[in-house]
């Protein structure tokens, strides 16, 4: 068990506006980490998992969004979970390891014995306590959460080789061109404070090389664009060199895991979190006993939403604040954001309906449900109006558009 004397801190990397481009048009309105999955912000899920760690002193969110974009959220989540949550803004991107090092003084304020490091765009059960216990038995500097995936999809992630007995990380390569292993990095780590000296060594080594080595004009341009002395990646610059040196180990999860790369994947991840709520937070799920509507499967309905009793909701539906659902509406596999109105007998399947949008009577907003395809779901941006008896299929609609004709497989600019 964790000693009562030692403290632990958690760091969640939230990126910045440049990463949010993959989430457009939804990231026009809100930073991607604050986009809701299963009725809670994306970053809430790792934060609430960290809350369960004994002797947790603080949670840090590190990114390069403007502080005002996170100020209200950080304040409310700190009050809700009764744990200090702070947002630390980088002056510019420093890389996953560089950002950690940049704020080392703040992270070490409570002299923690261990530091959890998580990426916000990971969807999993976050077995942090089990990771910590395993890490302490290994006796290394760091432990990675890993999972086995299909050989076909492995090269989209960091592939690794681990000793089957000792679990030591023997080899690590980021998105290799040829198959290395079906074991991949989940983007969840635990480190001892020694990680800071490892990152510092990378900084110093690069600086020395830059000072003494003749640099070609091409290299000079690269160094000018992204200085090697203040941008350090955790995967290529730390994990790969340390592999096979008895310093890094692995903990394999047998539970679910996804990287939330696109809005389509977010619908799948919302389903995974809703299913997990059955075990961890059943009070968050709508019940078929409610007088609000017929509920099928796992569904989240915000308390302020008004859902007509004749509507049928689920499975895998998340309904946000102040949504109005009229009689006869059918919702399946979708995320409905704040202040949306869905009128009589409309149908929404495999779709995300943006803030303040309106879907007319007898209209359909639907996708095929291929969450990996660019147009496998339908996305309505903010304040989109779909008029009565219009069908929108496998399309992305940018904010403030009005649709009075049916569309299919289109991006409406």
């Amino acid at each position: 068990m964790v000693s009562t004397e030692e403290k632990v801190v958690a760091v969640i990397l939230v990126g910045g506006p440049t990463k949010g481009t993959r989430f457009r048009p939804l990231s026009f309105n809100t930073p991607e980490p604050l986009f809701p999955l299963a009725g809670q912000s994306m970053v809430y899920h790792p934060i609430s998992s960290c809350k369960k760690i004994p002797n947790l002193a603080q949670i840090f969110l590190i990114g390069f969004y403007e502080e005002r974009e996170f100020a209200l959220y950080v304040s409310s989540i700190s009050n809700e979970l009764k744990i200090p949550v702070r947002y630390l803004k980088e002056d510019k991107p420093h890389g996953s390891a560089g950002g950690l090092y940049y704020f080392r003084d703040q992270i070490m304020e409570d002299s923690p014995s261990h530091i959890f490091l998580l990426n916000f765009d990971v969807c999993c059960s976050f077995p942090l306590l089990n990771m910590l216990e395993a890490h302490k038995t290994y006796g290394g500097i760091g432990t990675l959460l890993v999972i086995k995936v299909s050989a076909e999809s492995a090269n989209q992630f960091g592939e690794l080789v681990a000793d089957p007995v000792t679990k030591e990380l023997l080899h690590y390569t980021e998105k290799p061109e040829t198959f290395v292993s079906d074991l991949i990095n989940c983007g969840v780590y635990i480190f001892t404070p020694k990680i800071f000296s490892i990152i510092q060594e990378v900084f110093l080594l690069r600086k020395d090389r830059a000072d003494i080595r003749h640099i070609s004009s091409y290299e000079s341009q690269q160094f000018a664009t992204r200085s090697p002395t203040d941008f350090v990646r955790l995967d290529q610059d730390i994990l790969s060199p340390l592999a096979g040196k008895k310093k890094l180990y692995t903990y394999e999860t047998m539970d679910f895991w996804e990287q939330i790369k696109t809005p389509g994947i977010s619908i799948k991840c919302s389903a995974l979190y809703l299913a997990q709520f059955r075990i961890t937070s059943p009070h968050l799920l709508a019940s078929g006993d409610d007088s609000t509507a017929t509920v099928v499967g796992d569904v989240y309905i915000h308390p302020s939403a008004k859902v007509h009793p004749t509507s049928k909701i689920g499975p895998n539906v998340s309904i946000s604040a102040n949504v109005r659902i009229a009689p006869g509406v059918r919702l399946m596999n979708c995320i409905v954001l704040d202040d949306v109105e869905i009128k009589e007998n409309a149908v929404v399947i495999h779709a995300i309906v943006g803030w303040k949008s309106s879907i007319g009577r007898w209209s359909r907003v639907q996708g095929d449900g291929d969450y990996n395809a660019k147009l496998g779901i339908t996305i309505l941006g903010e304040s989109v109006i779909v008029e009565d008896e219009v069908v929108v299929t496998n399309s992305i609609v940018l904010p403030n558009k009005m649709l009075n004709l049916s569309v299919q497989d289109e991006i409406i600019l």
Side-chain angles (χ1 to χ4, degrees):
M1 293 298 292
V2 180
S3 166
T4 53
E5 289 82 19
E6 41 181 59
K7 293 183 178 179
V8 177
V9 297
V11 176
I12 302 174
L13 303 176
V14 298
T18 53
K19 285 193 71 175
T21 55
R22 63 188 181 179
F23 237 69
R24 290 175 181 171
L26 301 170
S27 57
F28 289 152
N29 293 73
T30 187
E32 186 182 341
L34 301 185
F35 181 81
L37 299 181
Q40 309 292 333
S41 69
M42 198 181 294
V43 76
Y44 171 89
H45 300 283
I47 288 175
S48 61
S49 296
C50 291
K51 160 73 176 172
K52 300 171 186 174
I53 305 168
N55 306 318
L56 181 70
Q58 292 193 71
I59 298 174
F60 299 94
L61 309 182
I62 295 180
F64 46 99
Y65 289 99
E66 292 300 324
E67 290 184 30
R68 67 177 181 274
E69 298 192 74
F70 275 84
L72 184 61
Y73 180 76
V74 163
S75 174
S76 64
I77 198 69
S78 297
N79 290 332
E80 178 185 338
L81 298 182
K82 303 294 188 290
I83 188 76
V85 180
R86 292 166 61 184
Y87 177 68
L88 302 176
K89 181 184 181 296
E90 298 179 79
D91 57 346
K92 59 182 178 180
H94 290 89
S96 46
L100 191 69
Y101 186 77
Y102 186 76
F103 292 110
R104 60 195 180 280
D105 292 340
Q106 292 92 324
I107 292 169
M108 292 304 296
E109 278 175 356
D110 295 291
S111 301
S113 62
H114 294 89
I115 302 155
F116 282 92
L117 180 65
L118 305 87
N119 286 286
F120 83 93
D121 57 353
V122 165
C123 168
C124 70
S125 58
F126 297 105
L128 303 181
L129 288 176
N130 292 338
M131 271 187 78
L132 180 56
E133 295 305 318
H135 170 79
K136 298 178 91 169
T137 62
Y138 298 151
I141 289 175
T143 298
L144 296 68
L145 185 67
V146 302
I147 192 170
K148 282 187 177 177
V149 297
S150 68
E152 295 76 25
S153 63
N155 66 353
Q156 301 173 34
F157 310 100
E159 295 183 26
L160 56 97
V161 178
D163 186 298
V165 177
T166 67
K167 307 303 179 184
E168 182 194 353
L169 179 68
L170 301 176
H171 178 73
Y172 183 90
T173 181
E174 184 68 16
K175 297 177 182 176
E177 293 183 5
T178 57
F179 178 75
V180 174
S181 168
D182 59 357
L183 206 59
I184 66 163
N185 177 9
C186 290
V188 178
Y189 315 87
I190 180 168
F191 294 108
T192 67
K194 291 180 181 177
I195 189 64
F196 292 116
S197 60
I198 300 289
I199 301 171
Q200 185 180 36
E201 288 173 11
V202 175
F203 280 137
L204 295 175
L205 183 61
R206 288 181 167 185
K207 187 175 185 304
D208 290 343
R209 285 177 176 172
D211 289 343
I212 66 174
R213 184 181 63 184
H214 171 70
I215 303 174
S216 71
S217 59
Y218 173 77
E219 286 176 320
S220 298
Q221 291 173 3
Q222 299 305 302
F223 281 17
T225 303
R226 179 170 286 175
S227 170
T229 57
D230 67 356
F231 190 95
V232 178
R233 303 159 299 183
L234 185 63
D235 36 29
Q236 292 99 322
D237 300 325
I238 304 296
L239 302 183
S240 293
L242 286 184
K245 296 182 178 178
K246 300 192 184 301
K247 293 184 177 179
L248 297 177
Y249 293 81
T250 61
Y251 179 83
E252 184 177 352
T253 178
M254 303 297 177
D255 215 336
F256 66 91
W257 180 87
E258 290 284 345
Q259 185 178 11
I260 312 168
K261 294 181 177 181
T262 63
I265 294 294
S266 73
I267 295 181
K268 180 179 181 179
C269 291
S270 190
L272 292 170
Y273 280 137
L274 286 170
Q276 189 183 36
F277 283 172
R278 284 192 175 275
I279 301 168
T280 62
S281 309
H283 64 282
L284 292 176
L285 293 175
S287 167
D289 298 331
D290 292 345
S291 60
T292 52
T294 300
V295 173
V296 181
D298 299 323
V299 171
Y300 169 84
I301 301 176
H302 190 277
S304 65
K306 291 181 170 51
V307 181
H308 196 273
T310 62
S311 61
K312 188 172 183 180
I313 315 294
N316 180 25
V317 172
S318 174
I319 297 175
S320 297
N322 303 312
V323 170
R324 299 175 303 287
I325 306 293
V329 166
R330 182 70 174 104
L331 306 181
M332 297 173 59
N333 296 299
C334 61
I335 297 173
V336 182
L337 300 174
D338 294 354
D339 303 305
V340 165
E341 181 178 14
I342 303 179
K343 297 181 181 178
E344 287 85 347
N345 302 304
V347 176
V348 181
I349 303 174
H350 298 305
I352 298 175
V353 184
W355 305 265
K356 303 175 185 174
S357 291
S358 172
I359 299 176
R361 297 169 181 84
W362 295 101
S363 289
R364 294 179 70 93
V365 174
Q366 61 192 20
D368 290 340
D370 182 352
Y371 298 138
N372 293 305
K374 185 175 182 180
L375 295 177
I377 68 166
T378 287
I379 302 171
L380 305 185
E382 181 185 21
S383 300
V384 169
I385 297 175
V386 178
E387 295 197 343
D388 294 351
E389 300 180 32
V390 170
V391 179
V392 185
T393 305
N394 292 340
S395 296
I396 297 174
V397 184
L398 267 64
N400 304 304
K401 302 297 179 185
M402 179 182 288
L403 300 181
N404 53 17
L405 295 174
S406 296
V407 295
Q408 180 170 353
D409 300 323
E410 290 193 38
I411 299 176
I412 310 296
L413 301 176

